[in-house]
Each structure stands twice: as structure tokens, then as C-alpha cells.
Amino acid sequence: MGSLGDNGGNWPGDGGSPEGLPDLPAEWGVIVIPDDLSELSDEVTVVRAELRRERTRSRWQRFTDRPGLRVLRRVGSASLRAPVLIISMAVLVTIASLFASAWPGPARSPATQRTASTTDEGSGKLPALDLVDADHRTVSLRAQLPAVVLLTDGCDCDALIEATTAAVRPEIAVVIVISGKAPNPPTAQTPPTSNTPQAQGKTVRSLRDPTSELRSTLELPAKNDGTAAVLLVSRTGEIVRKIPRTASLGDYEPDLARL
């Protein structure tokens, strides 16, 4: 093993370096160079391995630090966040719907029993028809709204007319419609007059539909079985309820409040 202990003509006596080379750092301590360099093979192997690892990391870091790859990393990160957010929202909505379906709601009141033979809810608009009154004057049917329209041809419905007139509010008219041409001599039905609720501020009108257009338009076939067809019509002309056959106020009295 060689050492720096002897001068050997290699190092100046004053401690300087040969040929003007700078001194070695003091923190390196004493450096011993073996006579046989093969003794450093283990150290050389370790240093080379470290250099390879450092070179591999540096190349990969340099590769991943390129601007194009940085953009791809950001896009990939954003594309992963969006599906995760969608899946999370879907799970939350599913859980909320399960809780809502399992949560007990308010008890439903039983539906009102209908005693009429058939009933149509929300049957559209009242046709814009001109009918004829007892003095042969033309009267617009829609001008009487809101109204309860009773189609009474073939029916002795005085009791139904009186009950309906007594049940409606003052602003609701009771319109009695008789289909077909007037007989000769005339025997047209007329509403009660002085001894009826009409004298108490209620409006009752009797009109004739010579061509039976109201029945045909609303598909209300005439039946001579002692029943009347009833239309409950709002102020805007909407038919709130249509009853093809009834003889009792109870079949539609609960719906009068909807006019």
C-alpha cells in the first residue's frame, strides 16, 4: 500500500500540489491509493450501480417533465375526477330515492264514492254554441258560466233542478238544456219561477238545443229513463265533470266547490 507519508519526489515539501494543481479538500481526509487497483473493485461496483440508478431516475424525470406529458397528466387527472364525481352523485341519488320510498307518507283519504253510472273528469272545453230561450232569442251558452248544465230532455227532473239550484253558490248559474225541436203545440219545460230559489238571487235559465249539438259533441246519448246528463263548467269554460246519467244531486254535489 502506498501513502502520502513519503515525498518520493511526487509532492512538494511545502505541502503544495505538483504542477500547480489545487489541494484536495480537507474534509476528504487522508487518501490512500493502493498499489493494486483491483482492491477497489468492490467500491467501483457500488459507485457504478449508484450512477446507473441516478441516470435512470434522471432520464425518466426528464421524460415525464416534458410539456406534452405534463398536459397529458393534467388531462388524465381531470378525466378520472369526472367519472368519480358522476358515480358518487349516482350513489347519493340512489340512496336518497331508497330513503324516500321507505319513508312513510301521509295517509290518503278514501276517494269519494261515485253513484252515477259513468263519470268523465276533465272532459275539455264547453262547446261554443248558441241556444234558444223561451222567447226564441239566441243565447250564447258560454255566456252563462260558471254553470251547472242539466240536459233534461226525456226526464221529469223538477226535483233535481230545485236541489241543484239550492246547492249552488249565487254566482253559479243553473242552465237547463232541452235537446231537439220544440213540439207543436209547445210543451217546453220551464224552470220553476216565483216559488223557487231563483227568487233568492240564484240564476236559472231554460234553453233549447234544436239540433241536439251539445249532446252529440259531448257524446251524451239521450235516454228516456228518467235521468239527466250533468255538466259542471268552470268560469273559463273547462268541463270540470261530466255525468251522462244521474237523478241525484249527491252524485255531483261535492264537485260544486270546484266551480
Side-chain angles (χ1 to χ4, degrees), residues 1 5 44 48 64 68 85 113 117 176 188 203 209 213 228 231 257:
M1 300 289 288
V44 170
R48 286 178 177 175
T64 56
L85 180 61
Q113 183 179 3
S117 59
I176 304 157
T203 300
D209 181 9
E213 189 172 356
L231 302 174

Side-chain angles (χ1 to χ4, degrees), residues 64-243:
T64 56
D65 284 341
R66 293 178 178 177
L69 290 178
R70 287 200 298 269
V71 173
L72 289 177
R73 286 203 307 270
R74 287 196 294 268
V75 172
S77 177
S79 63
L80 287 177
R81 284 197 297 267
V84 170
L85 180 61
I86 293 173
I87 294 173
S88 302
M89 291 298 295
V91 171
L92 290 177
V93 170
T94 303
I95 294 174
S97 62
L98 290 176
F99 274 107
S101 60
W103 196 268
R108 294 184 178 180
S109 58
T112 304
Q113 183 179 3
R114 304 298 188 185
T115 58
S117 59
T118 56
T119 300
D120 291 338
E121 297 284 353
S123 301
K125 286 272 191 179
L126 183 71
L129 299 178
D130 291 332
L131 305 184
V132 180
D133 64 7
D135 296 327
H136 305 287
R137 292 175 299 189
T138 301
V139 177
S140 171
L141 183 57
R142 285 189 177 180
Q144 316 303 315
L145 304 181
V148 177
V149 181
L150 301 172
L151 286 82
T152 61
D153 39 295
C155 168
D156 185 9
C157 296
D158 289 346
L160 182 62
I161 294 171
E162 290 188 22
T164 302
T165 305
V168 298
R169 302 188 304 274
E171 67 271 18
I172 299 175
V174 177
V175 180
I176 304 157
V177 177
I178 303 171
S179 302
K181 295 181 178 180
N184 191 12
T187 58
Q189 301 178 28
T190 56
T193 54
S194 59
N195 59 342
T196 69
Q198 186 176 15
Q200 303 173 12
K202 305 294 180 69
T203 300
V204 181
R205 298 207 66 174
S206 180
L207 303 175
R208 180 169 290 277
D209 181 9
T211 60
S212 302
E213 189 172 356
L214 182 59
R215 278 191 179 273
S216 61
T217 302
L218 297 179
E219 299 179 352
L220 296 171
K223 294 183 179 295
N224 295 322
D225 56 359
T227 62
V230 178
L231 302 174
L232 273 60
V233 188
S234 69
R235 189 179 303 275
T236 59
E238 295 289 338
I239 299 178
V240 174
R241 191 169 177 211
K242 178 177 73 174
I243 305 177

Side-chain angles (χ1 to χ4, degrees), residues 7 20-21 28 30-33 41 43 47 62 77 113 127 145 152 176 190 200-201 206 222 233 251-252:
N7 187 9
L21 296 175
W28 286 12
V30 178
I31 298 176
V32 179
I33 301 176
S41 60
E43 287 81 353
V47 171
R62 288 195 299 270
S77 177
Q113 183 179 3
L145 304 181
T152 61
I176 304 157
T190 56
Q200 303 173 12
S206 180
V233 188
D251 290 337
Y252 54 90

Side-chain angles (χ1 to χ4, degrees), residues 40-53:
L40 299 176
S41 60
D42 294 339
E43 287 81 353
V44 170
T45 302
V46 173
V47 171
R48 286 178 177 175
E50 291 179 355
L51 291 175
R52 283 197 298 271
R53 286 196 297 271

